[in-house]
Amino acid sequence: MPFENSDTITKVPAVTLGFWIIKIIATTLGETGGDAVSMTLNWGYALSSALFIGIFVVAVVAQIAAKRFHPFLYWAVIIATTTAGTTVADFADRSLGIGYPGGALILFGCLMVSLGVWYRQAGSIAVETVASPGIEMFYWIAILFSQTLGTALGDWMADSNGLGYERGALVFAVGLMAVAAAYFLTSASRTLLFWAAFILTRPLGATVGDFLDKPLANGGLAFGRFYASAILAALIVGLIVLLPQRAGKHPAAALKT
């Protein structure tokens, strides 16, 4: 059935340059934070995945129950999806032996199915329409799949394909620039471009995160996972405070102006 909601304000942030800056840093934190628990603390991928999925469930329930947009709560859920995505992708590749290509294909299929069900139920997968609990649940499921897919793509490019972290990050940065160019220079679907950019920021963050914490001998900066995570978390908090954080407007708002 078509999307119906009389609200004019959503509970997700307006998509601005500040949104994308924080998103990239949050995905990088997801990589270093996930690896800190699964590798540095030696919890393993399965137990770490269970932990972060549990955190995601608690955070997303709080987010959906909230009556209005709360920047820190929203970004806490995003970080939960990135850390869960890191450990789940690693679990699929290294513990189950699926491999990053196989894992990426499975996750891409899950993402397409989740977006397809969302579209069938709501008539749109635009983030501007996320203004009811039901639609918000579709939104977060799609984000969780996209974050996990992005992790698999990033690790596949940097590790399995032998590009390394710097060149892997460059590939995804170029991909994001192509999406930005399409946004400004063409009339391509804004919804399609949003999801393309959302997926691409995750492997960019994954490769940058690995570059920060991997040993010098492996092409990284050897910052240490907890140290890198602390720096990234402080950056996110600072940017949330300093950059404008406002809820996006529902399309119905245009009818009331």
Side-chain angles (χ1 to χ4, degrees):
M1 62 180 180
F3 182 88
E4 293 181 2
N5 196 305
S6 60
D7 295 336
T8 58
I9 298 295
T10 72
K11 285 164 44 187
V12 299
V15 181
T16 62
L17 178 59
F19 171 89
W20 291 115
I21 292 172
I22 298 175
K23 170 62 168 63
I24 292 171
I25 299 173
T27 60
T28 307
L29 173 59
E31 185 71 17
T32 58
D35 287 347
V37 174
S38 64
M39 298 180 186
T40 304
L41 293 182
N42 201 30
W43 278 38
Y45 302 121
L47 186 57
S48 299
S49 296
L51 169 68
F52 290 124
I53 289 173
I55 293 173
F56 164 71
V57 170
V58 172
V60 82
V61 167
Q63 164 69 19
I64 292 175
K67 301 302 182 184
R68 60 185 179 85
F69 171 60
H70 298 279
F72 281 102
L73 178 57
Y74 174 85
W75 287 109
V77 184
I78 290 291
I79 292 170
T81 64
T82 64
T83 48
T86 295
T87 55
V88 169
D90 287 340
F91 176 72
D93 172 62
R94 300 168 187 175
S95 298
L96 298 182
I98 296 175
Y100 287 122
L105 287 174
I106 292 172
L107 290 164
F108 180 76
C110 290
L111 176 60
M112 291 299 102
V113 169
S114 67
L115 290 174
V117 173
W118 176 2
Y119 184 83
R120 183 172 181 178
Q121 291 295 315
S124 173
I125 56 172
V127 296
E128 293 83 4
T129 63
V130 181
S132 70
I135 301 305
E136 192 171 0
M137 181 58 73
F138 285 122
Y139 173 81
W140 287 115
I141 291 172
I143 282 183
L144 182 61
F145 281 135
S146 71
Q147 302 279 44
T148 311
L149 169 62
T151 301
L153 289 174
D155 289 341
W156 181 19
M157 188 67 69
D159 295 337
S160 303
N161 287 347
L163 283 180
Y165 307 121
E166 293 173 312
R167 285 179 293 177
L170 180 61
V171 167
F172 293 114
V174 170
L176 280 172
M177 288 189 285
V179 172
Y183 178 86
F184 288 109
L185 301 177
T186 75
S187 58
S189 166
R190 274 23 188 175
T191 300
L192 176 63
L193 293 177
F194 170 85
W195 286 108
F198 203 95
I199 293 170
L200 286 173
T201 54
R202 183 63 187 98
L204 175 61
T207 50
V208 172
D210 284 337
F211 176 64
L212 290 175
D213 65 37
K214 296 300 182 185
L216 295 173
N218 294 341
L221 294 180
F223 273 15
R225 296 184 179 104
F226 283 105
Y227 181 55
S229 297
I231 293 173
L232 293 166
L235 276 174
I236 291 171
V237 171
L239 289 171
I240 291 174
V241 172
L242 294 174
L243 294 180
Q245 292 285 301
R246 57 182 175 82
K249 287 188 176 182
H250 186 277
L255 302 177
K256 298 182 179 183
T257 59

